[in-house]
Every structure is written in C-alpha cells, then in structure tokens.
Amino acid sequence: MKKVIFIGQTGCGKTTLCQKLNEQTIKYRKTQAVERYGDSIDTPGEYLENRHFYHALIMTAVDAKVIALVADPTSEYRAIPPAFAGIFGKKVIGIITKINQTEPQKIEKARKELVKAGASPIFEVDTPDGIGISDLMNYLEKEAV
Ligand SMILES: Nc1nc2c(ncn2[C@@H]2O[C@H](COP(=O)(O)OP(=O)(O)OP(=O)(O)O)[C@@H](O)[C@H]2O)c(=O)[nH]1
Ligand SMILES: [Mg+2]
C-alpha cells in the first residue's frame, strides 16, 4: 500500500510534491494518468475538476493510507467541494502549495477551502524552495504506516 495520494486541481503542484518526497529532480511534466512515484500516488488535476472522474479517484485512493488534498493559493478557481474528504472514508490532510508565490489573504482562502472540505491537519509548503516539506514528511512517516 502507498503512503499518500495527491488530489488537486491542474497545476496545483501534485507532481512536484511527488518528486520532492521521493527525492527526484523536480521537472515539469503534465500528468496524463494515475502514476506511482515510490511511496506516493499522483493523479491528474482533471480527475478533480471533472466529477465524472470522482469514482476513479475513490478507487485509486483505496491503495493509499493518507489522502492529501492539494490547494493552490495562486489560483482563483476553487476545485475542492465542501465535505469532499468524507467520500474517502480515511485520513484526509490538506496541503497549501506555492506559499512563497502569494499573499497571506490568498493562503487563508485556500485554507478555508481545505477546512470546508474536511481536511486536517493542513500543511503550508513551497516545494521547489523546500519550505514545510520536512514537517509533511515527518507527519507521513508517523501517520502513514
Ligand atoms: N513556486 C512554486 N511553484 C510550484 C510549487 N509547486 C508546484 N509549482 C510549479 O507549478 C507548476 C505545476 O506543478 P505540477 O506539480 O506539475 O502540478 P500538478 O498538480 O501535478 O498538475 P497536473 O499534473 O496538471 O494535474 C510547475 O511549474 C511547478 O514547478 C510550489 O510549491 N511553489
Ligand atoms: Mg501532475
């Protein structure tokens, strides 16, 4: 079983997180299908943006211990519906990415989206800059066993 599955809108930083957590070089590549990176499962943003794919997310999430809902504070588009965490029936955490790229009010909006979705705890990261990554990794080491 994988430790974590990343779910979030297109471009929010799921693949970048997978690369960082698995100590791979960060390299942009659009995710076209579900991919496995070491202990992580990466999903395409379209799976969240198009509700016809929700069943695919639910089925794929069965293979992970922890669900990570990823929110991009730099985007005006909020893709994660309220109470979304409830459909998985397991531990659901939130991750706000790109915190070095945006202002505090936008980070707060992203946090509200994740709280409404039912995610807890919520981590703030900037993945290429390495901010917040060790906290996230420590949490996954402890919780996703
Ligand atoms: N500054 C900054 N840029 C980031 C961060 N996370 C991701 N990015 C950038 O955002 C862009 C999209 O990141 P991806 O990781 O490919 O996004 P994704 O969620 O996998 O997107 P899809 O595969 O389309 O669903 C890339 O250019 C990344 O370098 C972050 O924490 N900070
Ligand atoms: Mg991707």
Side-chain angles (χ1 to χ4, degrees):
M1 187 177 265
K2 301 288 175 186
K3 280 190 162 55
V4 58
I5 180 169
F6 294 104
I7 296 173
Q9 72 194 55
T10 306
C12 69
K14 301 174 296 294
T15 302
T16 309
L17 277 163
C18 285
Q19 291 169 341
K20 189 78 172 182
L21 294 185
N22 291 284
E23 288 163 4
Q24 295 184 4
T25 313
I26 292 182
K27 201 166 131 218
Y28 177 68
R29 196 161 58 87
K30 170 78 191 97
T31 311
Q32 307 282 1
V34 172
E35 285 183 31
R36 280 143 215 275
Y37 277 81
D39 273 342
S40 315
I41 304 173
D42 190 13
T43 63
E46 289 77 4
Y47 278 32
L48 175 68
E49 289 156 11
N50 185 338
R51 57 176 60 225
H52 291 113
F53 287 112
Y54 282 4
H55 68 280
L57 286 178
I58 294 165
M59 292 309 293
T60 311
V62 169
D63 282 338
K65 299 232 166 81
V66 170
I67 319 291
L69 300 181
V70 184
D72 179 350
T74 69
S75 168
E76 290 298 326
Y77 172 52
R78 308 254 68 97
I80 307 170
F84 190 63
I87 68 175
F88 297 103
K90 23 180 125 179
K91 185 76 199 158
V92 179
I93 65 168
I95 303 174
I96 303 168
T97 55
K98 308 186 187 182
I99 61 164
N100 280 357
Q101 289 250 302
T102 190
E103 323 78 270
Q105 303 95 290
K106 292 194 172 172
I107 295 175
E108 272 323 295
K109 271 195 183 168
R111 178 176 290 276
K112 279 196 184 129
E113 175 188 25
L114 291 171
V115 169
K116 276 193 190 153
S120 170
I122 294 169
F123 295 87
E124 293 186 9
V125 306
D126 196 289
T127 314
D129 290 354
I131 310 293
I133 297 297
S134 61
D135 283 354
L136 176 62
M137 282 175 109
N138 289 339
Y139 176 88
L140 290 173
E141 278 309 312
K142 281 201 204 98
E143 294 293 321
V145 284

